[in-house]
Amino acid sequence: MAAAIETINLTKTYKTRGGARVDVVDNLDLHVEEGEIFGFLGPNGAGKTTTIKMLLGIIYPTSGEGFVLGKEIGDMDVHRLISYLPEKPYYYEHMTGMEILRFYASLFGIKDDEKCQRLLEKVNLASDATKTISQYSKGMQQRIGLAQSLLNDPKLLFLDEPTGGLDPIAHIEIRDLILQFREEGKTCFISSHELSDVERICDRVAIINKGRIAAQGPLDELLKGGRIEITANGLEEPFAHSFRDTLPSAIVSFSHGRLILDVPDEIDINPILDAIRDKNGQVASVIPRRKRLEDLFVETISEDDPKRAREDAARKKEESK
Amino acid sequence: MKGNKAKLFGVMAVLLVGAGLLQRTAIYPSWKKNFAPRQQGLSSDLSPDQLLVAMAGFRELIAGILWVRADSFFDTGNYDAILPIIRLVTWLDPKQIDVYSTGMWHIAYNFTDEEQRSDRRYVPPALALGKEGAENNPHTYEMFFETGWLWYHKIDDDHQKAVNWFQQALERKDIDFIAARKNLLSNALQRNGQVREALDFYLKLLADAEKVYEKDPSFGNQQNRDTIENNIDTMLVRMSQRGWFATQLGYRDQGEYDIDPPFDVGFSAQVTVEDPMVLRIRGSWNVQPVGSRIRFILRDSDFPNAVPGGMEWDKTDSVSLDPPKNITYVQDGLFVRNRRFDRKIDMSRDKTMYPCTKPDYVIEFFYNPRSAPPHIQDKFGWNGEGMTDKNFLNTEIRPGSRVIFATLKLTRDQLLRRGEWIDRVPVVQTPNYVPPKRLKDEPRMIAVPSTRAETAGGPNEPAPELAPSK
Amino acid sequence: MRVILSIASTTVGEAIRRRVLLIILLIGVLFLAVAPGLTVLSARQERTVLIGMTLGIIQLTSAVIAIVLTVYMIPNEIERRTIYTILCKPVQRWQFLVGKYLGAVAALGLMMALMTIVLVLVFALQQGVQQMDQLVLLAKAPAMFFVQMSLLAAVAIFFSTFVSPLVNFFLSGGLYLVGSLFNSFFEVISSNPNSPALAKGFATFANTILPNFANYNVQNPIINPGQIIENESIYYVRVTIYGLLYIGILLVGGIVIFDRREV
């Protein structure tokens, strides 16, 4: 498969007021395959939006090269084949959903009300087509944004924080739409700092921090190293402690006849379960725990900036409550 | 993109040159001619904020408000406050004819010292305002007429100017609404010595008035026609009595006309500086009927634009409200009563009016029979044919007219009573001056015997004894 | 072209709904409507004052609208990120800028047309409809004002490609004032024999280079009828061409700057 996006040493440097130079994007090498959902992850201010803007040709790289769909960035022809959904965009509030789609269609030279109607149906806004944008909820606005980004049947979609500020149901709707794009063979480039949604649908991710790639690869590979938690009741303490010798990679805890074993997922757990049953223990649960993207994210960033990562993790925890 | 940029700069340069050329060659000249707000004296008279307000629209509104405000100053006599307003209003709204005409009148007649009204430095700017008003309102007769009137009445000299202005006023259609105003051209022509033209003009007016009356036999039109007829009657009588026809037809020497023989006015004068800047002017003028006014001038000996008996009034186009602070020009009329004049001119009160900074001054006495009232002209003729003076008759300074002209000299020290003149009273006089004998008990009544019957009398003859009034 | 028109028409739709503009417009219209009541100044000049004032109201209101409308146009698009959804489409930046400008001019035209209609109505009510031909003459001034305001909008949109709205407001407003006054200053300086050659040269240069808004202040002859203008329509055509040339300069300049602008 050809590369949908390819960047080589892409760099964007801004000068601050004091004259100091800040590399917002620093020698970025990205590789996105056609047809995949690519997660572009990183904390706020990592350079995600700047990278997207460079790829779209809205701002100009300080150095390095970038290619989108095989052409150099900024090429007008590419604009016919791509779409961009900015983070929390504003659409002209006086226009109705239908008018917005007509307007954006006209920018492509498309005059096709039927298509607009189909897209409205696709994003579940058909019944609100005659309402003005000012009457739309945030989720509806995000969906009309998605609809406008699909007007040209893009091969490549840039979605900047597509679920930012949306309620959980809207999250799911957007996520489902993105999955649908993959089925249709579109490439999705999703930038996000909200990990839980993306982790489920991305084929590959790149983690960016302070303008640099911290990790890049298929999700499966990056998420290697999950664990399995086995809980069993009615066991004797000596038996439980014996696992500490037989399974050095396991975390063993025991109290009041309950054993909790936490083992790496590459270990075959059947012999363990057999042993428990042999001792008349009852297996209460076996829970496989994959490594979460969130963990990877925190890990990667903490290598770079431990304090920041801790804060980030604490915040995440707070939010998830 | 680099190449594109150069191209775009090229396009900009071409457009800029095009716009600049259009502006300089085609638009600006036309704008200046047709759309520019009048700006005589703009740089000095209008501050940037006034300009700004003016340019932001509302010119007429602001002009209107200002003029209403000026009205209250008229009531209180605060003339100093009115003048800037006049300048501002006429600049803001050059179509305010009322402001032009009132302003012009005001500057010329009132903006002088309150008591004496002798400072004439304000006449030129008033005239300039009239000129500007006419220029800005060329479609109506009004400012032409008003400016003509200033020449005719206030300046009363160089009468060709009044004639020209009245003629220009007559070219405007709307003067027809006030037909009587047209007659004034005839008077101006007479003052200019163009007696035949004055009559011809009356005859033309009569023909016009008759046509109008035929079309619309209203009372007003009838009256207008009758007035012109009466004027022509009077004029013909005068022309006949003053020997005009006889002169034209060459039999003047065959008969006695009212203007024969020339009457000696016996002019003499004395100027005393009674106090610093206070002049007492006395003298003789042997004309008994009331109505003689002798022009008195005191000016810097090097006064710019001075001519004998006056000045070139329309030398300036600037409506400056600040006449030069260092020049002095005093002009006034000496009214003759009982064959004498005796007038005090007090210039000491208002220092700004009479700066007197120059070392030497000229005093002039000037009398032009062309300005005389008809009953005196009946003796003197239109051009002074019936007037003479042993000492001061002058036929040169006003070509075509016999005038009386005398000069005296005064120094600054004398005028200000400084130096040797602190204790001595300076007196300058014509050589023929003799103090009148009876000043104390002269009669209060003004008698008007005919000058015609009198023979030429000497200047020093005392006034005849007259019966006191009841 | 279709792209430009789309952007322009959307801009019009947005502009005529902007509350601040509508308020300014409302104030202008209100003043126009009550203007006849304010002209108690002098009976003889009543009509003159009324025309002068109403045209002044239209001009002032239009100028404020033209500036307020355009100074926020580009910055708002950037701040609200709408511009990204447009520029990532096959839309060139110059098309965007020109479209926005044309939209602003069209919106301005609509608002000025409304004021002119009110103006004509005021006069029709005041003086009766029989003088309809005079009312048409009256509309000449707003027509020229429209060219003037289009030029002003071009100035503002040019500045909006590189300065903040507030700075732009004063820059454009300042240039409008200078441009309105400069013909007069130039006339004074160039006709005064005492002005130094350097000042004259500078004045000539500035008069050639600056956008001369004064060219469009044609209300005086309309306010004071009877004045004969030579080649009046040729003058109007010329200043309109001048306006178009200058708008061209400003738009091209704006495009050059906007093209490299980081948005």
Side-chain angles (χ1 to χ4, degrees):
Chain A
M1 258 201 274
I5 298 170
E6 181 90 63
T7 70
I8 303 147
N9 292 331
L10 197 64
T11 302
K12 181 74 194 177
T13 308
Y14 284 114
K15 269 188 192 155
T16 61
R17 248 162 224 255
R21 297 168 77 87
V22 181
D23 293 330
V24 179
V25 174
D26 187 4
N27 287 307
L28 196 72
D29 295 323
L30 273 181
H31 184 87
V32 179
E33 291 292 331
E34 267 184 30
E36 69 177 350
I37 299 178
F38 188 86
F40 192 49
L41 314 175
N44 287 321
K48 298 186 301 273
T49 303
T50 307
T51 307
I52 293 179
K53 283 187 189 170
M54 279 195 281
L55 293 173
L56 292 169
I58 292 174
I59 59 175
Y60 305 96
T62 313
S63 66
E65 284 177 289
F67 299 91
V68 175
L69 298 174
K71 300 213 168 170
E72 218 171 321
I73 53 179
D75 192 306
M76 244 334 119
D77 293 340
V78 172
H79 283 201
R80 302 198 166 274
L81 305 171
I82 61 172
S83 254
Y84 172 48
L85 181 64
E87 180 185 3
K88 291 177 208 149
Y90 161 96
Y91 298 99
Y92 300 115
E93 285 193 336
H94 65 277
M95 296 168 103
T96 66
M98 189 68 186
E99 282 169 348
I100 285 279
L101 290 193
R102 273 196 206 124
F103 165 62
Y104 281 105
S106 72
L107 300 184
F108 287 107
I110 300 169
K111 209 179 169 189
D112 187 350
D113 277 6
E114 230 173 88
K115 182 173 201 170
C116 296
Q117 191 60 40
R118 273 205 310 277
L119 282 172
L120 283 170
E121 280 161 20
K122 187 168 191 169
V123 297
N124 218 353
L125 285 172
S127 55
D128 300 304
T130 52
K131 282 187 188 162
T132 59
I133 300 298
S134 54
Q135 294 168 288
Y136 276 21
S137 70
K138 266 188 188 161
M140 289 159 88
Q141 285 189 23
Q142 191 74 348
R143 278 184 279 148
I144 197 75
L146 259 177
Q148 68 84 11
S149 69
L150 294 174
L151 278 161
N152 57 332
D153 288 323
K155 279 177 133 178
L156 171 60
L157 264 148
F158 290 90
L159 306 174
D160 199 352
E161 307 281 356
T163 55
L166 298 185
D167 60 57
I169 297 170
H171 270 212
I172 294 165
E173 283 177 355
I174 299 279
R175 203 192 58 206
D176 290 349
L177 277 167
I178 295 171
L179 286 170
Q180 213 181 316
F181 300 155
R182 182 167 59 186
E183 283 164 25
E184 291 166 7
K186 300 184 198 306
T187 312
C188 282
F189 185 92
I190 302 169
S191 110
S192 180
H193 69 268
E194 288 193 316
L195 302 159
S196 55
D197 302 293
V198 186
E199 108 186 61
R200 293 184 181 85
I201 54 171
C202 288
D203 299 312
R204 283 191 325 126
V205 296
I207 295 174
I208 181 176
N209 191 37
K210 290 186 172 172
R212 288 196 203 120
I213 297 278
Q216 184 170 203
L219 203 54
D220 293 344
E221 262 174 48
L222 291 175
L223 295 184
K224 260 186 202 161
R227 296 180 84 86
I228 299 169
E229 188 185 87
I230 302 163
T231 311
N233 293 323
L235 290 169
E236 303 280 321
E237 193 168 2
F239 169 75
H241 284 298
S242 69
F243 284 110
R244 294 208 166 111
D245 303 322
T246 53
L247 290 170
S249 61
I251 300 160
V252 182
S253 52
F254 182 83
S255 71
H256 303 98
R258 164 180 281 208
L259 167 76
I260 299 172
L261 263 183
D262 188 338
V263 296
D265 60 359
E266 63 261 22
I267 289 174
D268 185 3
I269 59 167
N270 281 326
I272 303 169
L273 296 178
D274 290 347
I276 291 169
R277 287 192 194 103
D278 286 349
K279 295 285 174 188
N280 289 324
Q282 298 111 41
V283 178
S285 66
V286 178
I287 303 168
R289 237 182 42 221
R290 271 179 79 183
K291 184 177 176 183
R292 289 169 58 203
L293 191 55
E294 193 172 14
D295 305 330
L296 175 70
F297 193 59
V298 173
E299 256 169 47
T300 327
I301 288 167
S302 58
E303 283 165 20
D304 209 46
D305 183 354
K307 189 179 166 218
R308 169 78 183 274
R310 269 200 305 281
E311 283 168 5
D312 241 35
R315 193 167 49 80
K316 279 280 148 198
K317 228 176 196 172
E318 201 68 22
E319 277 175 12
S320 59
K321 273 178 194 170
Chain B
M1 190 59 216
K2 285 268 158 64
N4 258 345
K5 208 168 175 177
K7 262 183 223 158
L8 289 176
F9 278 125
V11 170
M12 275 175 79
V14 169
L15 289 175
L16 200 59
V17 168
L21 275 177
L22 192 62
Q23 165 72 13
R24 301 279 339 117
T25 61
I27 295 175
Y28 178 74
S30 179
W31 177 86
K32 189 178 174 188
K33 203 166 177 187
N34 296 312
F35 298 100
R38 294 294 143 199
Q39 32 232 321
Q40 281 86 345
L42 169 104
S43 49
S44 57
D45 294 345
L46 276 184
S47 65
D49 54 316
Q50 289 168 335
L51 242 174
L52 210 119
V53 169
M55 299 309 292
F58 309 111
R59 300 161 51 133
E60 288 72 20
L61 177 70
I62 289 165
I65 292 170
L66 281 172
W67 194 230
V68 168
R69 190 168 148 71
D71 207 39
S72 66
F73 293 134
F74 273 115
D75 296 342
T76 54
N78 188 355
Y79 299 133
D80 291 358
I82 297 169
L83 286 165
I85 294 180
I86 288 169
R87 180 67 285 214
L88 192 54
V89 170
T90 51
W91 189 77
L92 286 173
D93 183 1
K95 303 292 159 181
Q96 292 242 25
I97 296 163
D98 295 351
V99 181
Y100 269 120
S101 58
T102 320
M104 179 176 68
W105 162 76
H106 200 54
I107 295 173
Y109 283 76
N110 289 344
F111 200 54
T112 174
D113 49 337
E114 252 178 72
E115 299 284 315
Q116 306 283 347
R117 309 223 184 281
S118 308
D119 185 342
R120 294 298 159 92
R121 290 174 307 163
Y122 291 94
V123 173
L127 212 50
L129 190 66
K131 269 195 265 185
E132 185 192 312
E135 238 169 71
N136 288 341
N137 298 281
H139 54 284
T140 170
Y141 82 95
E142 284 186 62
M143 286 316 297
F144 295 92
F145 179 83
E146 297 289 344
T147 311
W149 175 256
L150 193 68
W151 274 104
Y152 178 81
H153 183 258
K154 180 72 186 177
I155 298 172
D156 193 10
D157 209 342
D158 198 356
H159 297 102
Q160 183 62 44
K161 291 279 167 41
V163 169
N164 291 346
W165 281 103
F166 286 142
Q167 276 171 342
Q168 287 194 65
L170 278 155
E171 285 166 17
R172 271 83 194 165
K173 267 253 151 233
D174 57 342
I175 199 172
D176 290 346
F177 293 115
I178 310 169
R181 289 198 171 175
K182 295 186 192 174
N183 299 347
L184 212 55
L185 175 59
S186 183
N187 296 46
L189 283 167
Q190 289 178 54
R191 281 198 185 178
N192 199 34
Q194 296 170 275
V195 179
R196 168 182 283 273
E197 287 82 353
L199 180 67
D200 287 348
F201 178 67
Y202 265 145
L203 291 171
K204 181 186 168 298
L205 282 186
L206 182 65
D208 290 348
E210 270 168 352
K211 263 186 226 157
V212 172
Y213 178 66
E214 266 170 39
K215 264 191 204 160
D216 174 19
S218 68
F219 176 68
N221 288 341
Q222 185 192 343
Q223 210 179 25
N224 184 40
R225 186 200 61 184
D226 293 352
T227 307
I228 297 169
E229 247 171 20
N230 289 339
N231 284 343
I232 292 172
D233 279 351
T234 312
M235 177 121 193
L236 287 171
V237 169
R238 283 177 185 161
M239 287 167 87
S240 164
Q241 288 183 342
R242 296 178 191 177
W244 189 84
F245 293 112
T247 311
Q248 296 293 312
L249 297 169
Y251 56 80
R252 168 80 185 279
D253 49 347
Q254 293 169 25
E256 274 263 303
Y257 293 91
D258 285 1
I259 55 171
D260 297 323
F263 175 83
D264 189 338
V265 294
F267 174 79
S268 73
Q270 179 199 54
V271 176
T272 313
V273 185
E274 290 189 334
D275 284 303
M277 301 293 283
V278 178
L279 302 180
R280 182 83 184 260
I281 306 138
R282 281 177 281 214
S284 60
W285 182 262
N286 207 12
V287 179
Q288 181 65 26
V290 84
S292 292
R293 245 176 206 283
I294 298 156
R295 181 178 295 173
F296 166 82
I297 294 167
L298 170 78
R299 59 167 170 86
D300 300 335
S301 61
D302 60 348
F303 186 82
N305 306 327
V307 296
M311 67 159 113
E312 289 181 83
W313 299 96
D314 58 349
K315 267 286 177 200
T316 177
D317 279 333
S318 126
V319 189
S320 170
L321 306 170
D322 265 327
K325 290 250 172 9
N326 56 347
I327 63 171
T328 306
Y329 187 93
V330 182
Q331 179 180 319
D332 219 324
L334 305 171
F335 186 69
V336 178
R337 200 159 46 185
N338 290 330
R339 304 201 278 187
R340 297 197 279 279
F341 50 88
D342 184 349
R343 166 119 200 228
K344 197 160 129 177
I345 293 181
D346 184 352
M347 303 179 292
S348 64
R349 295 191 192 164
D350 198 337
K351 286 279 185 295
T352 60
M353 295 290 162
Y354 312 102
C356 287
T357 56
K358 301 287 169 63
D360 295 302
Y361 296 86
V362 170
I363 289 170
E364 291 180 345
F365 296 92
F366 176 76
Y367 182 81
N368 189 345
R370 283 190 176 169
S371 307
H375 66 278
I376 291 180
Q377 263 185 354
D378 280 344
K379 175 64 204 160
F380 287 177
W382 276 290
N383 302 321
E385 301 94 331
M387 177 189 82
T388 188
D389 188 280
K390 250 183 255 162
N391 306 300
F392 302 108
L393 182 73
N394 188 314
T395 54
E396 280 156 18
I397 60 170
R398 293 293 183 274
S401 182
R402 291 153 62 87
V403 302
I404 308 300
F405 182 65
T407 59
L408 295 170
K409 281 182 180 164
L410 213 56
T411 65
R412 184 162 189 258
D413 281 350
Q414 288 175 321
L415 197 55
L416 298 180
R417 299 288 298 272
R418 287 189 190 165
E420 55 174 316
W421 303 102
I422 289 179
D423 301 321
R424 282 169 59 203
V425 177
V427 178
V428 289
Q429 60 188 43
T430 56
N432 62 337
Y433 182 75
V434 175
K437 284 167 193 159
R438 305 176 53 213
L439 278 172
K440 288 270 150 67
D441 52 345
E442 66 188 26
R444 310 236 105 207
M445 201 195 85
I446 297 169
V448 192
S450 171
T451 37
R452 291 181 206 167
E454 286 185 34
T455 50
N460 302 326
E461 245 177 61
E465 301 274 353
L466 292 165
S469 63
K470 279 183 185 175
Chain C
M1 199 60 205
R2 181 200 286 272
V3 168
I4 294 173
L5 288 182
S6 284
I7 292 169
S9 63
T10 309
T11 306
V12 174
E14 200 191 9
I16 57 174
R17 286 178 179 84
R18 270 184 65 188
R19 217 162 288 150
V20 55
L21 295 180
L22 291 179
I23 288 169
I24 298 169
L25 183 65
L26 190 75
I27 292 170
V29 168
L30 217 73
F31 268 112
L32 283 180
V34 301
L38 298 175
T39 54
V40 286
L41 296 162
S42 103
R44 175 165 161 162
Q45 301 285 341
E46 188 179 320
R47 188 182 153 81
T48 301
V49 171
L50 185 60
I51 299 176
M53 186 161 73
T54 46
L55 290 180
I57 290 167
I58 290 184
Q59 192 175 22
L60 193 70
T61 312
S62 306
V64 174
I65 289 177
I67 295 179
V68 174
L69 175 68
T70 35
V71 294
Y72 285 106
M73 208 160 241
I74 304 289
N76 266 359
E77 289 276 335
I78 294 170
E79 194 186 325
R80 294 165 171 179
R81 302 187 189 82
T82 326
I83 192 170
Y84 305 138
T85 64
I86 293 169
L87 288 187
C88 68
K89 307 262 187 293
V91 175
Q92 306 270 14
R93 287 188 177 205
W94 68 266
Q95 292 175 313
F96 179 75
L97 196 77
V98 172
K100 278 278 153 192
Y101 172 71
L102 290 181
V105 167
L108 200 57
L110 280 177
M111 296 187 191
M112 291 182 72
L114 176 74
M115 285 192 279
T116 309
I117 289 168
V118 174
L119 171 82
V120 169
L121 281 179
V122 164
F123 274 88
L125 285 176
Q126 172 91 355
Q127 323 203 313
V129 253
Q130 64 270 27
Q131 290 176 312
M132 218 48 209
D133 49 332
Q134 281 194 26
L135 294 180
V136 173
L137 285 182
L138 212 62
K140 276 193 295 195
M144 281 294 109
F145 292 166
F146 175 63
V147 183
Q148 185 183 45
M149 296 311 156
S150 302
L151 181 54
L152 178 57
V155 168
I157 214 151
F158 169 72
F159 284 133
S160 82
T161 59
F162 59 97
V163 300
S164 70
L166 191 69
V167 176
N168 190 353
F169 184 86
F170 289 106
L171 260 179
S172 302
L175 197 61
Y176 178 62
L177 285 179
V178 171
S180 293
L181 299 177
F182 209 86
N183 263 2
S184 301
F185 279 127
F186 175 66
E187 195 186 355
V188 171
I189 293 169
S190 61
S191 59
N192 182 356
N194 297 330
S195 19
L198 192 70
K200 272 188 185 173
F202 174 75
T204 311
F205 176 74
N207 187 249
T208 313
I209 291 296
L210 276 178
N212 282 290
F213 290 104
N215 289 346
Y216 305 96
N217 290 339
V218 296
Q219 58 268 56
N220 276 341
I222 295 165
I223 294 166
N224 302 290
Q227 189 170 329
I228 293 130
I229 309 284
E230 290 168 24
N231 300 327
E232 190 178 6
S233 36
I234 291 177
Y235 179 82
Y236 291 153
V237 170
R238 278 178 182 160
V239 291
T240 306
I241 293 172
Y242 173 81
L244 291 175
L245 287 176
Y246 222 102
I247 289 167
I249 295 165
L250 290 163
L251 284 183
V252 173
I255 287 165
V256 168
I257 296 166
F258 190 57
D259 205 67
R260 296 311 294 175
R261 162 99 190 257
E262 305 271 335
V263 290

